[in-house]
């Protein structure tokens, strides 16, 4: 079999797959934080276009991808599915390891799959400007790219610690014409209130979301865009799993286990969702979602209603959460430092379909360097979590002929400072005191 | 027609195309700098493996690509051919603009096409270590990747100004396990002699080549590797043009003009060479090679025998040159700051097959930003020269239905400091005094 499996443009899926109607026992609805009742779609229409809201709530399994979105996807999609033969050899395993290479997008990650769709629907409904937040910078870069391709303005609230540590991410967004500010910022009431209490605040994703939301609600012709967690974001990412499934089919392969790293859940659910129906029909495919031990949302959090942001402005989502004021340690995988998890992923964990695991920072960097030196591509720190899990699966029994598929969600070329710290011996593992989690979980909104 | 044209793994070319036997009036042989006579292959065998020397001198048109090299190529190859529809729309041109996207390689440029082959042949002949130089860092990154995949050690002499300005490039090479030092360094006699004269030397590609050569000659089981200029490097890069030709054929297209930026000449010749036989058989395809106005090797240099390095250690090559001690201004397109040009490209200019042009830094950045904001990919500063030339061709007569093909040789994600300087208004054009070129040309070796 060949090293790589590739589809032609005309073999690319032309619809997204909506896993929601297939989830046993379904999803619980988002709640209005004011009334604790299911939120009225009109309320969400203040920040999202109808095209996306319909997707968020849709009972349809297949939703056509608009021609304009396909046209942009085709700049880099379909993406390659590659067999990690040299990694297999280095591990001495009989397992076959495949990775779906989402790092070939213009900004180096899977994020544009949703950014392009979100920009399109907002543009179609006459919106002129989007506000968003970004942590490590992957989502902000993707939305900056997507908005400029559809002629929208874009404002990105970037978590201050990343804003200071990752000047190149900022430059990438500026090249696409976006406006970037460090969050907490003086541009919003919420940002000012945080700065008043703590002028040196490093910021957090939760704070940046609050700021972007306030911007969207208070600015003219401006909507809000989120890079993960929500159903419509995962919907857009299912292009990944649908392609991968087709590619494996062509190669005569089928995964025993499907792996991905989980921050908000979109890259992993995007790869995994299209395989879920097979499992429901009695297939043996396993699903392993990987998170950092320092931010163990799925493995040590609680399945409950919680806010997506720090200020409590978002609808309450029924999800695995560490509490919306949880402050994770400053690990380099910034994209995995989020207190919540997508309701879709959370429900699949509840139904024992996804097995969540957590891994430590050091073993992930070790896996990342091994991958770079065998397969040639330097992984993003987030992606290294998926690689570590793939290695765990491949080496549990070296003689088991197993087929492993993971999402190579992004490259690390813009995150090299993380590798510098690793090689300089400056990194270590974090063991998170259980009391800290218990404390932030005690602040969950009281629902029922 | 689709946005993108892609080949399957099994449609990838399995041999490289050697343009040398097809060049009218041929190439003049490299000379021994000591005797000024054609150099004996044995002398070159001290720094290159026989596999590459045979390619350097080969009269064969087609040279099979070893299976082991194809296997690594397939991590990212075949690369996409994309139609720049949104750029066309922004320009308001009837021209069709296609770009071959070589930025999808693990290090973001075309350089691994040769690095992988060079690592393979050295490994096959028992060499344990390679020494090389790098300017902007693209070649060093590529060779670091390739050597670690074949289990070789790698030492990179990186031009000091880039070493200081581009810490991420250094980190990339370190992640692949290479050893990197700033050149001029204290590790070689030549480096020490430069530092003695000028302890603050910023270095240059010519100096770094001298250092790497000295390392290769004086160290055990060590060969030298060059990332451009030589025939075998261009040979390896012809995978690019062969794929592009096949892709255009499938799309029912054929280029009226083939464009690329020229530093040492390998990315451009790699794309262009496979189209040269068509021109020789009476085809109308034009070839435009683009260089920076600040380092106008092809447009203001001389076709003559000259050294490839500053110390005069390399064989003398018959090429367009600005003189081996020419010091180009510090433009951001570091990969185009070289005094010489590949003998193959030089001969094709001599035969009026390639039309050389030069463009200024500011118009290139303007083109790069337009490309990023329409096509979504941020170009490397070097690549922006090809884009600028494509725009010139597409806008000369907006109503002319013309088909343009250029090599998108690399992305700029690791070069964002250049964009920062551009947006901050810190960049300007350079007009190079003719006397400066005349001065360095007066130091050419006296041959015949």
């Amino acid at each position: 079999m060949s090293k790589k499996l590739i589809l032609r443009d005309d073999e690319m899926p032309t619809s997204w797959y909506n896993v929601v109607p297939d989830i046993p026992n379904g999803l619980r609805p988002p709640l209005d934080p004011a009334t604790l009742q299911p939120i009225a779609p009109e309320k969400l229409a203040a920040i999202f276009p109808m095209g996306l809201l319909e997707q968020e709530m849709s009972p349809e399994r297949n939703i056509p991808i608009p021609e304009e979105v396909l046209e942009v996807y085709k700049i880099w999609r379909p993406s390659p599915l590659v067999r990690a033969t040299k990694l297999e050899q280095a591990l001495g395993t009989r397992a076959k390891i495949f990775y779906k290479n989402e790092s070939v997008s213009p900004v180096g990650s899977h994020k544009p799959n949703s950014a392009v769709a979100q920009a399109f629907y907002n543009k179609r409904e006459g919106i002129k400007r989007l506000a968003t937040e970004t942590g490590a910078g992957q989502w902000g870069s993707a939305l900056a790219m997507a908005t400029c391709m559809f002629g929208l303005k874009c404002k990105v609230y970037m978590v201050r610690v990343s804003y200071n540590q990752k000047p190149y991410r900022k430059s990438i967004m500026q090249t696409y014409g976006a406006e970037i500010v460090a969050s907490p910022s003086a541009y919003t009431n919420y940002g000012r209130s945080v700065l008043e209490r703590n002028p040196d605040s490093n910021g957090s994703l939760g704070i940046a979301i609050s700021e972007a939301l306030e911007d969207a609600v208070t600015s003219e012709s401006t909507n809000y865009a989120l890079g993960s967690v929500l159903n419509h974001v995962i919907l857009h990412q299912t292009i990944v799993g649908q392609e991968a499934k087709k590619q494996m089919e062509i190669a005569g392969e089928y995964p025993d286990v499907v792996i991905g790293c989980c921050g908000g859940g979109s890259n992993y659910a995007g790869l995994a969702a299209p395989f879920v129906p097979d499992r429901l029909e009695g297939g043996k495919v396993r699903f392993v979602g990987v998170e950092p031990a320092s931010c163990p949302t799925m493995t040590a959090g609680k399945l409950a209603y919680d806010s997506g942001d720090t200020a409590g402005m978002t609808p309450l989502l029924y999800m695995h959460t560490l509490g919306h004021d949880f402050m994770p340690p400053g690990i380099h995988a910034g994209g995995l430092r989020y207190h919540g998890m997508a309701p879709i992923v959370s429900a699949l964990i509840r139904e024992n379909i996804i097995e969540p695991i957590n891994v430590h920072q050091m073993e992930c960097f070790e896996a990342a360097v091994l991958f770079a030196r065998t397969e040639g591509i330097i992984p993003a720190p987030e992606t290294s979590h998926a690689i570590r899990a793939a290695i765990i699966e491949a080496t549990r029994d070296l003689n088991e002929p197993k087929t492993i598929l993971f999402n190579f969600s992004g490259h690390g070329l813009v995150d090299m400072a993380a590798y510098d710290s690793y090689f300089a011996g400056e990194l270590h593992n974090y063991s998170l005191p259980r009391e800290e989690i218990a404390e932030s979980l005690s602040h969950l909104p009281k629902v029922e």
Side-chain angles (χ1 to χ4, degrees), chain A residues 246-362:
Chain A
K246 215 171 200 176
Q247 288 166 309
M248 296 208 73
E249 234 168 74
I250 290 172
E253 300 282 351
Y254 189 85
D256 294 302
V257 54
V258 178
I259 296 172
C261 62
C262 296
S266 77
N267 97 71
Y268 181 48
L271 176 67
F275 293 93
V276 166
D278 300 346
R279 167 74 168 263
L280 298 173
E281 286 162 16
K284 287 201 160 57
V285 52
R286 288 171 53 225
F287 298 94
V288 176
V290 196
E291 64 185 6
S294 57
C295 189
T297 313
M298 304 183 293
T299 52
K302 194 175 162 182
L303 181 58
Y305 271 110
D306 197 6
S307 295
D309 69 326
T310 307
M313 296 168 69
T314 73
L316 303 183
L317 300 175
Y318 193 68
M319 60 182 180
H320 282 83
T321 177
L322 292 165
H324 58 270
D325 51 11
F326 176 77
M327 281 294 273
I331 59 166
H332 274 283
L336 306 183
R337 291 177 70 238
Y338 184 61
H339 69 275
M341 184 50 57
I344 287 175
V345 171
S346 298
L348 291 170
I349 294 170
R350 180 195 67 200
E351 299 300 319
N352 297 313
I353 292 171
I354 290 178
E355 310 162 29
I357 67 165
N358 70 59
V359 290
H360 282 281
Q361 174 160 265
M362 296 302 281

Side-chain angles (χ1 to χ4, degrees), chain A residues 351-379:
Chain A
E351 299 300 319
N352 297 313
I353 292 171
I354 290 178
E355 310 162 29
I357 67 165
N358 70 59
V359 290
H360 282 281
Q361 174 160 265
M362 296 302 281
E363 60 186 317
C364 291
F365 273 102
E366 196 185 317
V369 172
L370 178 62
F371 189 87
R373 293 186 183 177
T374 51
E375 291 297 313
I377 315 181
I378 300 178

Side-chain angles (χ1 to χ4, degrees), chain A residues 153-171:
Chain A
K153 288 185 179 174
C154 181
K155 179 148 177 178
V156 182
Y157 292 85
M158 186 171 186
V159 176
R160 185 175 297 273
V161 60
S162 295
Y163 184 91
N164 292 335
Q165 281 174 1
K166 299 192 166 195
Y168 279 10
R169 279 282 171 206
K170 203 166 47 190
S171 319

Side-chain angles (χ1 to χ4, degrees), chain A residues 110-193:
Chain A
H110 66 290
K111 292 289 188 189
N113 296 328
S114 185
V116 170
Q118 293 190 41
F120 166 76
Y121 287 106
N122 277 289
K123 169 76 173 185
R124 197 183 64 174
E125 297 181 27
I127 289 294
K128 302 260 185 281
R129 179 174 174 276
L130 292 179
T132 197
E133 72 291 327
T134 198
Q138 295 272 20
W139 169 248
S141 308
L143 194 69
M145 179 202 89
T147 47
C148 83
M149 293 185 74
F150 286 101
L152 300 174
K153 288 185 179 174
C154 181
K155 179 148 177 178
V156 182
Y157 292 85
M158 186 171 186
V159 176
R160 185 175 297 273
V161 60
S162 295
Y163 184 91
N164 292 335
Q165 281 174 1
K166 299 192 166 195
Y168 279 10
R169 279 282 171 206
K170 203 166 47 190
S171 319
I172 290 169
M173 293 184 260
Q174 277 164 343
T175 301
Y176 290 127
E179 185 189 352
I180 304 106
V181 293
S183 165
S185 80
Y187 293 89
T188 65
N189 287 327
Y190 186 68
R192 284 188 294 272
S193 77

